Amino acid sequence: MSLSKVEDNMYRDYRSPLSTRYASKEMRYNFSDQNKFSTWRKLWIYLAKAEMELGLAIKPEQIAEMEAHVDDIDFEAAAEEEKATRHDVMAHVHVFGEQCPQAAPIIHLGATSCYVGDNTDLLILRQGFDILLPKLAGVLRHLAKFAFERRNLPTLGFTHLQPAQLTTVGKRATLWLQDLVMDERAISRARNDLRFRGVKGTTGTQASFLQLFNGDGEKVKQLDALVTKMAGFEKYYGVTGQTYSRKVDIECLNALSSLGATVHKICTDLRLLANMKEIEEPFESTQIGSSAMPYKRNPMRSERCCSVARHLMTLSNNTLQTAATQWMERTLDDSANRRLTLAEAFLSADTILMTLQNIMEGLVVYPKVIAKHVAQELPFMSAENIIMATVKAGGDRQVCHEKIRVLAQEAGVQVKQHGLDNDLVDRIKKDPYFGPILSKLDVLLDPSTFVGRAPEQVVEFLEEEVYPVLEKYKNLESKTVELNI
């Protein structure tokens, strides 16, 4: 088939945007057929090596023959074989055996399909976490830098999406950081809790292997341990049915779905701040915000994160349903669902982390807009400070409170009904009652005096919570992320 025809067929078939548009090359490879089926072959080699070491009649030449054909998989032949047998593992056993005629009699010896299926899944899950964690660290690193640099910049805090007591831009970023640190802990735990299914047989009893070793249970245990070690795991699950418990998938996807919730919250905040023109994500000089409105600067990266994160958050429910419906030692209704769910969860997590890092690398802050918004609200928030200063100068608290209440109501009418600036301070300056404190008004209205310990909290949090996490990834460089936008 010519290249043009291949390309024509490619564009006529459905392809997931996760694999063609969003996720990274390394994550796409991790869930590729090439990686999956070459891992099957490695697992068959590990099994044969361990069986040979424990005394079965397997020759080094057979091992060498299999090792020579780990990666050269004839996918078309396997597809034809599976069409006839309706069994993917046996199709690949057959094709591998044709490539390795000496080894054919001992490929998959004593094993069931889940030996390669489940063990491969566990290897892929672990590698998926290993791809994600440095990317999460990259986001943490850039956001930590942002938080530190903006730790002193006062900004309106919001509760109920209504202006509240001031915070700082950097302090708000630590709220995002805190959730991401929790995600790093949860993902690391899910990764490190993974074990190998090992060599368990058709219903988990190891009966076939016990028969191979003439009833020698100790050798069967050694076989389990040897194959586990060859696969790079320290531990195997002590008991399984035909499959490893599908609660393992729940633990993995709960961590990823939780990351999705974090990223959605961060990017929603950024979208709201972009609407207020206080903070924007990167926007290239040639980037187009709208096909109809040339002036638009849409927060498309943040919107992408929210969009994919919503998909990611829903996927954990699939793992719950699957684990709940595994009858006895296993049923096969998990298979098709897991093919979709596991891959899409990791590809989605990969997508939002890369996009979020790209955002954090180029966040733009507009201090003058922030200061303008603060100035609009600060006079209302300064009432308590003005009351206290007036009392110290000899005034009556109740009288002062009532005067400010009336002036604030009048200023509120100017802001809400007439669209004018907040003139409460001017009204206070014109009222003779406040004459004794007029010289102190600038100090009383200094935004930096309204942020409490926010700047110190930023530094303390970074030093105590964030930098120790980043230390684990110090040898893994955070590369600049370029997106297909």
Side-chain angles (χ1 to χ4, degrees), residues 74-86 91 95:
D74 189 337
F75 289 101
E76 291 186 5
E80 285 299 314
E81 188 68 24
E82 184 176 351
K83 191 181 295 183
T85 63
R86 311 300 297 176
V95 170

Side-chain angles (χ1 to χ4, degrees), residues 175-314:
L175 302 182
W176 304 335
L177 278 164
Q178 180 170 244
D179 288 352
L180 289 168
V181 167
M182 294 173 68
D183 291 319
E184 190 280 335
R185 183 176 66 228
I187 292 172
S188 292
R189 183 168 56 228
R191 188 262 183 218
N192 294 332
D193 282 350
L194 286 174
R195 299 186 182 189
F196 205 52
R197 176 193 174 274
V199 182
K200 296 296 193 296
T202 55
T203 58
T205 65
Q206 300 179 307
S208 57
F209 296 104
L210 194 64
Q211 186 175 356
L212 280 175
F213 288 100
N214 299 315
D216 190 336
E218 190 58 36
K219 281 194 174 182
V220 175
K221 286 181 63 178
Q222 291 177 33
L223 179 70
D224 214 352
L226 279 172
V227 173
T228 297
K229 185 177 180 180
M230 289 178 189
F233 280 83
E234 293 181 6
K235 296 180 179 180
Y236 53 77
Y237 294 109
V239 294
T240 72
Q242 189 172 95
T243 69
Y244 66 77
S245 170
R246 295 311 184 214
K247 283 184 71 68
V248 174
D249 296 344
I250 294 176
E251 292 180 349
C252 292
L253 263 70
N254 276 350
L256 298 184
S257 292
S258 183
L259 171 68
T262 295
V263 174
H264 197 290
K265 186 264 191 289
I266 293 171
C267 290
T268 299
D269 285 354
L270 290 174
R271 292 163 68 188
L272 293 170
L273 291 166
N275 171 263
M276 297 160 61
K277 296 181 172 57
E278 292 191 356
I279 297 180
E280 284 185 345
E281 64 181 38
F283 198 92
E284 280 80 12
S285 60
T286 58
Q287 185 175 334
I288 295 174
S290 167
S291 62
M293 296 167 280
Y295 59 88
K296 293 288 289 294
R297 293 172 66 91
N298 299 333
M300 53 79 59
R301 292 170 175 83
S302 297
E303 290 171 321
R304 175 185 295 178
C305 280
C306 289
S307 184
V308 178
R310 286 203 303 273
H311 177 60
L312 174 56
M313 286 186 283
T314 67

